[in-house]
């Protein structure tokens, strides 16, 4: 029973004012949830909930995947281990697993829009970079991967300038000293998402050093997500890409 | 002498192949600087260089402001102190100074496009928030300010939902525990720029606590800039806003 | 126009369902704000807003104090400096200032209820301890001060056991190694609020060491507030004390 | 032989003054232990000692559980592993183990008093939240669980306001950015125990980020326990709840 | 009235058992304070209380110095500033002040016993080293100063070996990398007190780096005090020196 | 051939000045090593080298133990694992292993001198405390163990005062908040060695919190060793104890 | 087609100016890569790429080694595990593995030039020291190893002075307090590379303490590489050694 | 009287064996100091001692400068303030002061050898960069300054490649994210000294972020000095440059 139905009943006398008042006094938050938060929910229901697999027990994970897949015809999860992938495959044989990105998904082929560039400094940063790339694709972006362009070989960056400049948003994954984002920030003119990774040893402090490098970058247009948070970087990039493709007016009407 | 001229001389024999080769072997970087980096320079020359005033001696600052103003007819600087503002006013009487944002500028009135929302948790966060807002305006955005909506009074956030949802990008400035961004992240569906501030004492560690809160946020669509980096937040927001307004195709053609 | 009035109008046809729906769709948050948050507002309006004076300009502070004092007949602020006190005295001559606690207030004499004990390890911890004590008094508690009972002279603690055990809640302020709270935790059977202070030098890290000591305490019944946050400690203690005095049923009815 | 008996013997001459003096000079601490610390001991003996199981060898743990169970007819331990639970089950077949809270206990059914609300931001915070809830129940509180109300979906918090406001004390468990406590702090008017958890990755620093968020909260009524210290949070909440239910006078008489 | 007197009264009937019981039940802590803690008090009263001058207001400091000097015929304080010294000189004209050690004292000439060596790595470490040296002297030790023997000129250490080996305890003050203590640890066979100083810049982190160096030293016989805590180092050294000179039996009899 | 013999040969002409000069120019360090460092070597050869077992491969460890045992008739090692103990037992069947202290030794019974007290806050601190106790015994001290006297039950400390005051040096092992040392520092009048342990979780930061507590202690006579460094604490205590027993003159003559 | 060929075609008319211009506008970075970066590439191709083995899957590692070995006739990798060594041995039976340095290589015997000294404080530092030594050898240096000369036995350093002073560059590996480098810095007059290691426990913080010690060293001529970065230390030392041997003019001509 | 003379006297009987033995037993360290450490002293006396001016009182500084200048005919100091410069000018009118580098010196013109490149990321890094440059010049190097080539404008780096590649050693000063060194590391083939500066704000943590970036750099040939340690960077670079110019054999002969 929605607000309109309640009001109709008040009008035709089939509900007392007191009952209706009760509904609205109690309602605000549900109301907000189902009506006011419409756009928000549209976003969340436009795609089934994304599963964060890490540390979820096998049986729980299987149940979650099965339910989401049945409800939505697709399912997408991050940080899945090999063993988890095997367990889910028992109930969804067509599930696909990427051991690099650790993404476990069953998603129909869709054509992405616009362009998101995902760069990585080294091959060791691929897990975070691939998580970002697959996430951006899942949320509708066309993605170009530009890997292994660490700044200690600056010509590797420069030789990929055309690709970098074709993007509406650039994600840059780097561990160790994390300097890649600053160089990119001077070369492109779109928002850059800095993705620090835990790659490194010693004073890399599990990625904190790369995070600090990136948050201190003096280049323009850079903002930073958590260490190894490829999902967050990819989601952000897809969001910006969608705005860029559709333009704002369109975007607000159709979301 | 540009590339075409050199090639013409090779063709008509007035320059030897060796001389031309020399030109091109030496050229790359200058070439890159003036040709390939065109778009980049266009961005940078579209607006005069932004001045970071902090710690610049008075005479140096006056000279910089005067030159930029003469060259561009406008000038915009951040982190200026009262004394610096007075000094620059000697050479540019029409300069305007905002002691809250510490922005010292002389910029013609322009109508902003799209919508960037700049939120702050408390009134003590205004310096960073205003720096972000004025910066976003300078780079072409229409800005709506939504101040003093800290999450310890959640109704303050909720009562401004319409404004928040009208924006193409939301900047949220907060010190102390920095929780505002997470609440906003669940309420809007556009990119959010988290702007930690140094407001607080004791375990706020000069803003590091707020930065950590924001970088760990589990809400979607959030990325973070440096502590008190209102300029970076505003620049990022303007960039995203412009993409949203123009749409990507347009954006790439006209930038 | 409240909910009942709107519904009455729907019933008698003087308002269309669409108009009413509009009201309720827009209403939730205002509704929540003014109705559902009643208890909350009552608490906040039961006492005028507490002023955090630090870094507020003199003119702004004078205006705030004057307005609050006129509206409420009392005013209470923390972290005030000598100069601020003098400025406010110009507009409220009867204001009283404690240079130790840095509390600047004009509050009518009230008899406190129950008992809150505020302990300090050394005399250097008095600013935080006194801020806690005066705050607890302001929020209605009777306070007993037990100062300079640092654990390196354990007999000082033991000789005050009767006072400590008379309290419904104990606040313990300590800097340097912050060990006082652990000893108290083994001696009393009521909630203890640990208040780390920035007293110390070298490896005290501005109070972080004391904070860590307290948060790691293995004694029962201890929880911790921010470094030098006497206000928070005093407020918490007053809250617990009020629950203890009134009992829960009474408390919920009269708040 | 207690003090009265000694004094009687002095009076009737069966003990010399020197012997008695010896008794009293040696006595103080035992005296304190058995007499002056009565209330304290009552608390500790009112419930058998709580067992911290982590890292205790299996045989030692079995012996401890068996002895405590025989002496008290009940036993309660925290941080128990699966293997430890199985080992204890060999000697106490009726022991019950909760793999989420990791609490291993055999406690008779008791009706709790008052109301403690235990909230959690996400499902990953359940181990700490459940440890808090079961501990509060063990120490006599009636507990209401309000799980998965993280602030990135603020409607989830708001929809549970009635439950939150029914409590005498609220525990809020959260990892990652730990923002939940600040939102709750603005919505309820009772003491809140902030329980940071080690949930998260990268810059969550094993829960230190959540701890910092909470200790810096600008909401009123909040104090903080150690990371993952569900036991401490639950104990504190039960203590406050008991004060609230009984009221202070009663409390001091019967404890 | 002491314990013996009370017991006498019980014996002769001039005090009831109940009254005496009351005395002893209330007594423990006072008893402990005045009887059992005798040795402890003797130590503390053997020397007047040491004054920590830092941040004490001038009037308060003058009063403290005057009272201690009148009561004890001597007075000794640490961390005094120039202005404080001048203020105290008004009331104790014969006071002496060392601007390097910042010790402000009026102590009769005494001949020290045994030998404590106080070493420093550089001249910038003198404030801490001198505070240690003067403190050790005040507590009865004969002190030999061995300054400016930093390990980057190892011959400086080696040339003073005879002096170092004559001591019963060695204090080593060093900032920056703090390596001196490790070298000394391999050269002498007595306890070494490592005294990190805040000398340095950048990654010296206000002395934390030197503290870490010293606490990690793999040489035998080293223990560490707080950064710049010359008083603590000197007190410890004097304590060890006294044990060494008197030998244990003597020491326990006469303390 | 020593210095005297060389000089004798120069005198009687059986060695040229050049040869002798060569000897002395080359000699300094060997000279220093074998002559000047006599006392030092005496200490080191008075006991066979102590073995730090951790991470040493089994075969290497067996060889080291066998050689040291053959050369010295005794052997003493720290941080040995169960597997290492079993391996060494193959070659030294009479070796004894303490799984708590992890000390693996074969040392003849000796009567200790003086008195070192080793205290621990909780039972979880026993590994470090026992390592300290056994080490002090190995280096000649008589040791009294005073375990499980954490300050959250202060009567436990007070009831052992006589034992604590009988010692020439007190070692106090504590993890978590590490407050024990400060209480002891106010009760005894001998040097105290603070031994922080890694016991704890969350904000204990692997023992860093306990270390910070101890280094900041405001009690007199305290110095600190590395986290879990029971060996260092025990060695220091034995050194101080020996000085106290023998007295300095004796000590310097016989070492 | 290189630049000369393009220019030739322009000259003989077989390529239009526009086509040529296109080539050069697109070319810069490739151009830079193959021409301007010649020296750089020469360096990199002078030796086959060094493999960082850690965390590389076995099959990938085998393929990389096989390809590099076939292409270059030699291969050199760091941070290899036992299992990885065994896997590579299947495809390159003549591979040699050093379980201490964890270097896995197949390199023809070459005579090193000049002299690099690699020192270590303790035997536990050998993995890092050996990685440095073998790396320096691989890049052409003659290496002298000076191990186990920790400063707590300073005579060990002094007895090796001649060896240390024979080197063109000294690498010093040390964990724990890391003091070795400061002592060496005062004894030799060539560049020193400080190599902190993760050896230690407790407050060694995984090598961060040693790193801080070294970076704060007040001795001249010291610079620091990452914790356990033996490769970096060895590479740097080889670079400096080569400059020293050849002298600059020669060096710049032949590189 | 040197060793030979002593031996001669032993031989001719004018000195007893006991006297000679005394000489040699006492001699080692002096011997080492004056003979064995010859090279070392030569270095130190080749240039007068460098003065670290910071925090030195004016009178002390004047005396030091005057003495050094009289003894050596030149004097060189770092970290001097304006007021210090003025004070020294009173006694050495010809002293020259650079307010950017804060170097206060009076050094005769000398022609530098070889080439050291000193680069800086921004103009705010000039104080550290200039300190390095002037220091390298003072120790004999010819220096080329390459300022304001931060990586967010990579063309600025590339356009200076020829200069960078002309150097025997490159110093790179950078604050904030400190990424410059990694880019340079990939472009030149000589040792690079990374010089982190304290330039930045917020999460730059006073230069610690830049230090971490640099120490984690994955480029080859990089080592790091302390934050703002321009002196250390310049000294190191001069040392390497001298080795490169002279070549090793020459270097060892003439030092």
């Amino acid at each position: 029973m929605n607000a309109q139905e309640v009001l109709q009943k008040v009008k035709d006398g089939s509900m007392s004012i007191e009952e209706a008042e009760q509904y609205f006094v109690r309602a605000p938050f549900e109301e907000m949830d189902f009506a006011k938060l419409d756009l928000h929910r549209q976003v969340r229901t436009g795609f089934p909930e994304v599963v964060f697999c890490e540390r979820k027990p096998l049986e729980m994970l299987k149940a979650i995947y099965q339910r989401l897949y049945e409800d939505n015809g697709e399912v997408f999860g991050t940080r899945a281990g090999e063993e988890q992938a095997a367990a889910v495959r028992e109930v969804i044989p067509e599930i696909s697993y990427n051991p690099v990105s650790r993404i476990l998904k069953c998603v129909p082929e869709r054509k992405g829009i616009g362009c998101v560039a995902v760069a990585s400094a080294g091959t060791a940063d691929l897990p975070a970079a691939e998580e970002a790339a697959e996430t951006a694709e899942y949320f509708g972006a066309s993605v170009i991967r530009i890997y292994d362009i660490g700044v200690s070989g600056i010509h590797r960056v420069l030789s990929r300038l055309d690709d970098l400049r074709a993007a509406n948003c650039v994600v840059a994954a780097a561990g160790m000293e994390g300097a890649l984002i600053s160089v990119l920030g001077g070369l492109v003119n779109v928002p850059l998402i800095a993705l620090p990774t835990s790659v490194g040893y010693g004073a890399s402090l599990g990625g904190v050093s790369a995070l600090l490098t990136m948050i201190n970058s003096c280049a323009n247009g850079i903002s930073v997500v958590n260490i190894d948070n490829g999902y967050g970087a990819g989601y952000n990039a897809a969001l910006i890409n969608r705005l860029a493709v559709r333009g704002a007016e369109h975007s607000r009407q159709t979301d």
Side-chain angles (χ1 to χ4, degrees), chain A:
Chain A
M1 190 165 59
N2 65 19
Q4 205 175 38
E5 289 168 343
V6 170
L7 290 168
Q8 186 58 52
K9 287 186 180 201
V10 169
K11 185 164 193 183
D12 64 22
S14 64
M15 183 185 269
S16 71
I17 285 176
E18 287 69 27
E19 283 173 313
E21 200 182 353
Q22 184 68 17
Y23 170 84
F24 287 114
V25 166
R26 290 191 41 98
F29 304 115
E30 288 90 330
E31 196 61 39
M32 177 189 67
D33 200 11
F34 293 99
K36 194 122 191 180
L37 290 181
D38 234 0
L39 292 179
H40 179 58
R41 287 174 52 84
Q42 202 271 351
V43 170
R44 295 199 310 193
T45 54
F47 302 95
E49 199 181 336
V50 168
V51 187
F52 185 81
C53 301
E54 204 162 281
R55 268 177 255 141
K56 286 210 166 54
L58 294 183
E59 287 314 307
M60 185 197 292
L61 194 69
K62 283 162 73 172
I64 292 172
Y65 263 75
Q66 203 163 12
R67 180 172 52 74
L68 286 172
Y69 191 50
E70 281 164 11
D71 288 1
N72 303 286
E74 65 182 70
V75 60
F76 183 91
T78 62
R79 307 279 173 104
E82 300 269 3
E83 199 188 6
Q84 290 178 318
V88 170
R89 187 163 291 120
E90 292 170 18
V91 292
I92 310 180
E94 60 272 39
I95 200 88
S96 85
Y97 177 65
N98 178 345
V100 173
S101 68
R102 297 205 287 150
I103 282 176
L104 182 65
K105 69 181 174 189
C106 188
V107 180
E109 200 71 26
R110 289 194 200 94
K111 189 170 157 26
I113 60 173
C115 179
V116 163
V118 177
S120 85
T123 52
D125 302 310
L126 280 193
E130 267 300 303
E131 188 183 293
E134 292 196 37
T135 299
E137 286 171 339
Y138 178 65
F139 287 107
S142 169
V143 172
I144 182 163
R145 287 154 170 86
I146 309 175
Y147 291 161
D148 205 16
I149 57 165
V151 298
S152 64
I154 196 66
H155 58 288
R156 295 184 295 183
V157 176
L158 299 177
S159 68
R160 299 300 298 275
L161 262 184
D162 288 348
D163 286 336
L164 287 161
R165 287 183 173 154
N168 291 313
C169 181
V170 176
V171 173
M176 304 184 77
E177 82 268 51
L180 177 58
I181 197 79
S182 294
V183 171
L184 295 182
L187 294 173
V188 303
N189 191 26
V190 291
L192 295 109
I193 309 294
L195 171 52
T197 75
S198 56
V199 169
Y201 60 88
S204 82
L205 305 177
V208 169
S209 287
L211 169 55
L212 286 171
T213 302
M214 291 169 171
I215 211 91
N216 281 294
S217 178
C218 54
N220 282 330
I222 293 169
S223 57
V224 188
V225 296
N226 197 359
I227 299 160
D228 290 331
N229 186 8
Y231 171 78
Y235 182 92
N236 270 11
L239 213 53
I240 292 168
N241 180 59
R242 192 168 50 179
L243 284 175
V245 173
R246 299 187 185 173
E249 301 321 308
H250 186 221
S251 167
R252 276 208 295 282
Q253 282 161 24
T254 58
D255 264 3

